[in-house]
Amino acid sequence: PLLCFLDADDLLEPTFLERMLPALQAQDVAATYTGWQRLAPDGSTEQGPCPELDGDLFALFAAACVFPPHACVVRRTVVDDVGGFDEAPTTTEDWDFWQRIARTGARFVRVPGTLVTYRMRRGSRSRNSMRVLNDGLAVIARGHAVDPRVLRPHPAHRAGIDAAHLARRSYNHLSWAAGMALAAGEDPETLLLALAGLNAPDLDRWEIGGTMLEAMRVTLCAPRAAALATVVPLADDVLAFLAALERASGTPDLALRAARAIDHLITQQAAPVRPRSLITAYEVTLDLAHPIGELVELPPRIDRFRAELTYGGEPMGELELPVCDGRVGALTIADAAADAAGWRLLERFLIRTVFPGLALERTEGGFTARRNGVVVGSGPVPDPGGSSLFEAAGWTIFVQELFGMTGSSLAEIYESAATAAGTPLRLGEPILEFDISDPPRDVHTDAGSVVVRCTVGGALLGALVVPTVEGVLVAGSLRCAFTDASPAELVRLVVREGIIGWPVEDGISLRARLASRSAAGLAPQHRALPQGGIALLRHAGAPIGGPAARHVALPIAAGRAIERLALATGTPIIAVPSLAETPPGRPGAAYLPDIPRAPAAAPPESTDPVRGRPPEREPRGTAGADDGLLVFAYERIASDGAEIAAARTVHPHRFQEQVAHLHALGFRGISQEDWQIMLESGEPVSGRRVLFTFDGGYTDFATSAWPVLGRYGFSALVFLVTGAIGATARWDASFGQPASLLDWPTIRALHAEGVWFGSNSVSHPWLTGRHPDSVVAELFDSRTQIESTLGARITCFAYPYGAEDPAVRRLVGAAGYQLAASRRAARWTRQDHPLAFPRCLVTGATSHDDFARMCIEP
C-alpha cells in the first residue's frame, strides 16, 4: 500500500520508515517527503535543496524536481491513479512522475529532518547534459500545458501553470545542463539550439548563476568547500557561455551579473583563503598596519577587487573597487579603506597609542579623563575595549595630536586670537598654501580674507576662504578653518596619510607622520598618476568631502568620455607622461581629487561655522533621523501602459489624490539648492518637505505630473536617459509598446519652470552587468550631455533598474555625482549612503492606504 523508490547506491537513515509513516495515517495525505543530503566521494556531506511546505506542490514540480526519488513515501493507489512511471525519458522519469501526482492536487506533508542521502558519483546516466536538457524541457513544457496522461487532474491544474513562465523556467533548466557540460569539458553553447528563438528578457542572475555552480560541482562530485578549486579553472568558458546565453535569451547584461552571482556564492561556500581569483573578482585580506602594495597584471576577466580589512589583527570591514586595465593602485586602496573604516581606524590607533597614558579620575557619574593635566572628556564607566572612552575624549585627543598641542584644551586650540610664536608670513597675493603639519605662523596681508589651500600630509583637503582681522590671519583661525571645513573628510585624509600603512606602535606621532608625508613632495599622490595616461582632478564646484573626493582608477578605453566631461564641466585634466626610469606599461587613467592645484576661483565664504565639530559616530548620520524629508520615486503617470509594465504606471487621478494628500498634511517642496545645503551643513530642513523623483524621463511627466505638482507648489527631479531623448523607452520593449520620452525642447522649457534634472545613464543598462569602461561611458557622457544642453550643474544620478554595488558607486562619484538614487524602498535618512539613497516607491499597485502610511513620520 505504500511505496518508496531507492536507487542501489543511495541511503536511507535507520529511522526513515519510523519517521515517514505516521503522517500517512491521515486519509487526505497522499505522500510524505523529507530533507536530503549529498554524499561526496571524499565522505563529506552537504544539505540538498528542499522546500518546507505541506499541501499542493504542483507549482514547484512544474518548474523543477523538488527532491530525489527516495526522499518520498507515496500511497500505491496514487501511483496507480497516474499510471506509474513513464519509461520514455531516461533522466527525468522521477520528476515527471511526481509532477503528474502533484497535478491531481495530491497533498504532500514535509517530515522534518534529513533522512536520506544521495551519493554523488561520476559516470551516471544523469550526467549526459543533452539528454538531461531535452528530458527536462519536456517535463517543464507539460507542467505549463494540459497533460492528457493525467485522467483526473485537479481543476486548478488542468491547463498547467501560466505559460508566461515557461521561457524563464526552460532557460533555468538549460543552465543546469550547461553546468554539467562545462564540468565535462563539453561545449555548452550547443545546448542553446534547443531554445532557439525563445525570448526570456527577465532571467534572474541568482537562479542562472546558482544553478550553473551547483551543476558544475555535482557533476565533478565536488563539495561546496571545493567550489573555488573546481569552478574557477573553468572561468573563461563560464563567461563565454553566459555571454551566449545573454544573446539567446534577450536578458540585458545578464552575463556579468550572473558571473558575479557565482563569485558571491563561491565566497560564501569556499574556505576563507586569500588572495584568490574568482571569475570576475580578485579577493585579498589587508592588514592596514602594513604598507599596501599595488596590484598589476590581473587577468583581463577580473574587473572587481575586494578586500577584507584588518588593523593589527582586528576586523575593520570590507571594500570593493573596480579594476581598470588590470591594476588597482595602492593609494586608491588606501583611500577606499579610509573611507570605509576611517573613524574606526582612528579609534583603534588612539586607544593603542595615546589612551594608555591618560589619567582617569572616577566620579559619581562615571569618569573624567585628563591628559597632561587637561580634561579631554568625561562619561560613564569606560568599557574594556576603550570605545566609550573614545566616544568621550576621541575628538579632543585627535585635534591635540593633529596640531601638536597635547597640553591644550579645545578652547585654547581653537582660540582665533592665539598667535604663533614663529616669524609672521607676509603675503603678496591673498592665497596661502598650508599643510596641516606645517609649523603655525601668523599671516599678514592687505586683503580682508585669504584663500587657504589646505592639504593634509600633502593631500588636498580643499580651498577655504578665511577672513582676516585688521590684516592678520592668526594661527588659531587656520586651525579653525581646517576643522570647520569638513570634519569627516579631515579624519579620512589623516587616517589615509598618517595611520594606514604605518606600524601601529612605532613611536612616531600622528603629526610627525603627516609632516613626513608632506615633506616627501607629494610622492604618494604622484605615484598614483597613471603613467602614460590621463588624470582627472577634482570636479569643478565639488564640495570638500563627499563622493567626488574619492580616488578611483578609470579605464583608459573610456578616455574620450572622460575628456568630454572635463571640457563640458571645466574640470582639470592632465596628460601624464611615462617616467623615463620606469619600464613602459599599459597606459591608464584615474580620478585623483586630492592632487593639489591652483583654484580656478575662490569658494564662497561659509557663514556661522561650528568650530571643532566632530564627525558623527556613524559617518552617514544619526540612525533613524528622517530630517522631515520624504523622497518619492515614480516612473510613469499615465492611464495607458502594457499590462506587465502597469505596475510601474500610476493613473493620473491616483497621482492627483497623492499630491493633494501630501499638501493637506502640510508638506512643502524642496529645491535642489536647499537639499544640497542640508547635506553639506548637516542641518535638517525646516518643516515637512517632499521631493518627487521620476525615473526615465517619460513624456507623460510633462503632461500628467508636472501640472499637478506645479498647482500645489511642489518641485520635481527627473532622471533622463540621454541616449533616448525624444525617442521611446527601448528598455520596456519586451513588455509591449514602449512609451515615448521627453525631447530636448520640452526638457529646456521644464528646466526654465523649475524642474531639476539628473542622469539615468545613456542607454539604461544594468550597470552591475557592465565592465568599468562601459560604466564610465554611461556615467560621464550622460552628465556631459545634460550639462551642455541645460547649462546647469548635474549632480544627481538614478541607477537603471536600481542596480548598483560598491564598485559602481565609486565610479558614480568619480563622474562628479553627489547623490544617486537606488530602488531600495525605504524612507530617506541622513544615515544613508549619498550614492545609494532609498526612496518611497510608488507604483500602480500602491493603494491610498499604502501611500498614507508612507507619509506618516516614523
Side-chain angles (χ1 to χ4, degrees):
L2 301 174
L3 299 177
C4 179
F5 308 98
L6 178 64
D7 281 353
D9 55 353
D10 294 334
L11 304 170
L12 304 178
E13 289 297 307
T15 60
F16 175 77
L17 292 177
E18 177 185 349
R19 300 276 302 279
M20 297 289 283
L21 298 186
L24 286 161
Q25 294 178 3
Q27 291 302 311
D28 65 334
V29 176
T32 56
Y33 73 102
T34 186
W36 61 285
Q37 63 182 359
R38 292 191 180 101
L39 174 64
D42 65 0
S44 63
T45 60
E46 62 186 41
Q47 195 70 27
C50 192
E52 297 280 349
L53 299 173
D54 289 348
D56 188 339
L57 302 185
F58 179 66
L60 298 179
F61 279 114
C65 192
V66 175
F67 45 67
H70 60 307
C72 185
V73 175
V74 61
R75 293 185 187 279
R76 173 66 175 263
T77 55
V78 175
V79 175
D80 291 340
D81 189 47
V82 298
F85 283 93
D86 186 337
E87 298 185 37
T90 57
T91 63
T92 57
E93 61 271 32
D94 56 325
W95 178 8
D96 173 78
F97 174 69
W98 299 123
Q99 185 191 96
R100 281 184 283 122
I101 290 176
R103 190 187 286 265
T104 68
R107 182 170 180 243
F108 290 78
V109 171
R110 172 73 146 88
V111 175
T114 300
L115 302 180
V116 303
T117 299
Y118 170 83
R119 192 189 305 271
M120 293 192 292
R121 63 181 180 86
R122 295 177 182 267
S124 70
R125 64 179 181 178
S126 60
R127 296 295 186 262
N128 185 314
S129 59
M130 185 62 75
R131 184 182 301 164
V132 167
L133 173 62
N134 290 329
D135 288 350
L137 290 178
V139 178
I140 292 172
R142 291 193 192 105
H144 292 73
V146 174
D147 189 344
R149 298 173 302 167
V150 182
L151 300 180
R152 285 178 290 277
H154 189 281
H157 305 324
R158 185 180 302 277
I161 300 298
D162 186 351
H165 305 296
L166 177 62
R168 176 169 174 169
R169 288 168 178 173
S170 298
Y171 275 107
N172 286 346
H173 177 65
L174 185 143
S175 66
W176 178 273
M180 293 173 55
L182 284 164
E186 302 166 356
D187 180 8
E189 293 189 33
T190 59
L191 302 175
L192 293 169
L193 295 175
L195 297 179
L198 186 62
N199 193 44
D202 60 342
L203 296 185
D204 181 85
R205 67 181 185 121
W206 293 103
E207 291 178 350
I208 296 296
T211 301
M212 287 183 61
L213 174 61
E214 197 84 344
M216 285 186 280
R217 285 196 315 98
V218 172
T219 303
L220 295 170
C221 298
R224 288 193 175 98
L228 181 69
T230 56
V231 174
V232 172
L234 304 171
D236 290 335
D237 294 332
V238 169
L239 288 170
F241 169 73
L242 287 173
L245 177 62
E246 178 183 313
R247 293 190 296 270
S249 67
T251 299
D253 305 309
L254 172 66
L256 276 181
R257 292 191 290 124
R260 299 198 207 288
I262 295 175
D263 278 352
H264 282 288
L265 292 171
I266 292 176
T267 298
Q268 293 173 6
Q269 298 173 6
V273 177
R274 294 178 176 88
R276 61 189 181 192
S277 291
L278 303 178
I279 294 179
T280 67
Y282 183 74
E283 297 184 338
V284 302
T285 297
L286 292 177
D287 192 320
L288 300 176
H290 299 282
I292 296 173
E294 185 161 351
L295 297 175
V296 295
E297 302 302 327
L298 291 172
R301 72 172 191 272
I302 299 296
D303 67 356
R304 290 290 189 274
F305 168 78
R306 294 203 289 263
E308 183 182 74
L309 305 176
T310 64
Y311 182 63
E314 294 187 66
M316 290 288 136
E318 299 177 343
L319 62 83
E320 181 175 329
L321 294 169
V323 176
C324 299
D325 303 311
R327 64 171 74 112
V328 186
L331 186 61
T332 298
I333 298 172
D335 188 77
D339 185 31
W343 190 241
R344 173 77 169 155
L345 284 166
L346 177 63
E347 175 189 42
R348 304 323 295 172
F349 171 76
L350 293 180
I351 285 174
R352 295 174 68 165
T353 58
V354 177
F355 281 27
L358 299 181
L360 297 183
E361 176 185 332
R362 299 290 181 179
T363 64
E364 183 176 347
F367 72 91
T368 296
R370 298 178 185 272
R371 185 186 193 192
N372 297 329
V374 175
V375 174
V376 292
S378 60
V381 177
D383 61 86
S387 293
S388 63
L389 182 57
F390 179 77
E391 188 75 29
W395 180 255
T396 298
I397 293 174
F398 168 67
V399 174
Q400 288 179 335
E401 289 289 299
L402 201 57
F403 297 110
M405 303 174 70
T406 58
S408 302
S409 66
L410 275 181
E412 293 169 335
I413 295 173
Y414 292 140
E415 177 54 57
S416 61
T419 61
T423 304
L425 174 67
R426 163 65 66 173
L427 291 180
E429 296 291 329
I431 298 178
L432 174 65
E433 306 279 345
F434 186 80
D435 192 87
I436 203 165
S437 62
D438 289 344
R441 301 173 67 181
D442 293 340
V443 176
H444 290 212
T445 177
D446 295 331
S449 62
V450 175
V451 177
V452 182
R453 291 174 23 79
C454 306
T455 58
V456 178
L460 180 66
L461 175 67
L464 307 170
V465 175
V466 184
T468 61
V469 178
E470 297 180 354
V472 178
L473 176 60
V474 297
S477 295
L478 286 177
R479 289 191 285 267
C480 288
F482 268 104
T483 54
D484 286 349
S486 176
E489 184 68 5
L490 177 62
V491 168
R492 191 183 72 86
L493 286 178
V494 168
V495 167
R496 193 189 82 187
E497 300 299 328
I499 295 179
I500 293 176
W502 295 80
V504 179
E505 300 171 13
D506 59 0
I508 304 175
S509 71
L510 191 57
R511 183 173 176 81
R513 293 178 176 187
L514 296 174
S516 173
R517 292 286 197 211
S518 180
L522 301 179
Q525 284 77 27
H526 284 166
R527 281 199 300 271
L529 292 171
Q531 304 302 311
I534 57 175
L536 186 69
L537 304 189
R538 182 173 298 187
H539 286 283
I544 294 175
R550 308 293 183 258
H551 276 246
V552 65
L554 298 174
I556 193 63
R560 294 291 188 187
I562 297 170
E563 292 171 354
R564 286 191 290 268
L565 179 64
L567 180 63
T569 62
T571 297
I573 187 171
I574 56 176
V576 184
S578 296
L579 298 176
E581 64 269 22
T582 61
R586 288 183 295 178
Y591 175 59
L592 304 176
D594 52 30
I595 295 290
R597 60 181 176 81
E605 293 190 32
S606 59
T607 59
D608 193 24
V610 181
R611 292 182 177 176
R613 180 183 64 213
E616 297 283 356
R617 176 68 175 170
E618 295 293 335
R620 303 302 173 199
T622 304
D626 69 357
D627 298 304
L629 176 64
L630 269 176
V631 183
F632 287 103
Y634 292 85
E635 290 193 24
R636 295 192 61 201
I637 308 298
S639 55
D640 64 330
E643 182 179 350
I644 299 178
R648 306 196 305 273
T649 303
V650 176
H651 194 280
H653 294 322
R654 179 63 58 85
F655 182 69
Q656 159 79 30
E657 292 173 357
Q658 293 166 353
V659 175
H661 181 74
L662 283 165
H663 186 266
L665 290 176
F667 280 91
R668 293 183 295 141
I670 185 171
S671 67
Q672 183 176 9
E673 293 74 17
D674 287 344
W675 194 8
Q676 196 66 47
I677 291 172
M678 179 184 69
L679 291 172
E680 294 178 12
S681 69
E683 299 297 325
V685 293
S686 59
R688 291 178 165 186
R689 299 294 188 100
V690 63
L691 173 63
F692 291 86
T693 67
F694 296 83
D695 293 4
Y698 292 90
T699 301
D700 46 59
F701 168 80
T703 58
S704 301
W706 181 238
V708 176
L709 294 173
R711 191 181 314 143
Y712 289 93
F714 289 124
S715 52
L717 168 57
V718 179
F719 296 105
L720 302 173
V721 180
T722 58
I725 298 296
T728 59
R730 296 185 297 269
W731 54 93
D732 288 340
S734 59
F735 301 138
Q737 182 66 32
S740 62
L741 302 173
L742 295 168
D743 57 23
W744 282 119
T746 305
I747 292 169
R748 291 190 191 93
L750 290 169
H751 179 66
E753 294 174 12
V755 177
W756 36 304
F757 290 93
S759 166
N760 204 186
S761 76
V762 173
S763 64
H764 203 272
W766 292 79
L767 294 178
T768 52
R770 295 291 184 93
H771 288 295
D773 54 346
S774 176
V775 174
V776 167
E778 292 281 343
L779 298 172
F780 281 55
D781 278 341
S782 58
R783 183 177 173 221
T784 297
Q785 189 166 5
I786 301 173
E787 288 211 7
S788 299
T789 303
L790 299 182
R793 284 185 61 213
I794 302 302
T795 60
C796 297
F797 182 80
Y799 298 99
Y801 308 103
E804 51 92 9
D805 59 29
V808 170
R809 288 201 297 264
R810 204 81 180 180
L811 296 173
V812 170
Y817 298 104
Q818 298 172 31
L819 294 164
S822 73
R823 299 288 292 178
R824 180 166 61 90
R827 288 179 71 105
W828 179 87
T829 73
R830 204 184 302 276
Q831 188 181 19
D832 293 306
H833 195 292
L835 293 185
F837 70 84
R839 296 175 288 174
C840 297
L841 305 183
V842 186
T843 71
T846 303
S847 68
H848 178 77
D849 290 342
D850 293 335
F851 188 84
R853 279 191 290 271
M854 294 180 188
C855 303
I856 298 173
E857 296 185 53

